[in-house]
């Protein structure tokens, strides 16, 4: 059994909310508070949210986290 961790990031648009909502619908749990920062290279605000999930598989570095 393994606990997986992902950091979801996206520009501050509804796409970020959909990305987090999709992860929650797939059984991921919010981990900590969201972050919000200015991306000077692209002149946009960015959001980030960490999520975790317990899975039956053993952890492997080649796992496709988005498929769990």
């Amino acid at each position: 059994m393994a606990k997986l961790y992902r950091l979801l990031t996206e520009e501050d648009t509804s796409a970020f909310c959909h990305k987090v909502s999709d992860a929650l619908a797939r059984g991921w749990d919010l981990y900590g508070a969201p972050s919000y920062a200015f991306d000077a290279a692209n002149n946009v605000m960015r959001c980030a949210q960490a999520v975790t999930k317990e899975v039956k598989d053993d952890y492997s570095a080649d796992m496709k986290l988005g498929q769990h």
Side-chain angles (χ1 to χ4, degrees):
M1 191 150 208
K3 188 170 195 172
L4 304 180
Y5 172 91
R6 292 175 65 195
L7 182 64
L8 306 175
T9 63
E10 185 67 54
E11 287 185 22
D12 182 21
T13 66
S14 63
F16 175 73
C17 296
H18 287 291
K19 187 181 279 191
V20 174
S21 295
D22 181 61
L24 294 173
R26 294 173 182 268
W28 292 82
D29 298 309
L30 298 177
Y31 182 81
S35 296
Y36 192 63
F38 183 67
D39 176 353
N42 294 300
N43 200 34
V44 296
M45 294 301 291
R46 286 197 145 311
C47 299
Q49 174 65 59
V51 292
T52 61
K53 184 177 185 180
E54 293 274 346
V55 295
K56 294 179 183 177
D57 304 325
D58 289 332
Y59 174 74
S60 170
D62 62 344
M63 290 177 118
K64 303 282 188 205
L65 298 178
Q67 294 178 355
H68 281 277

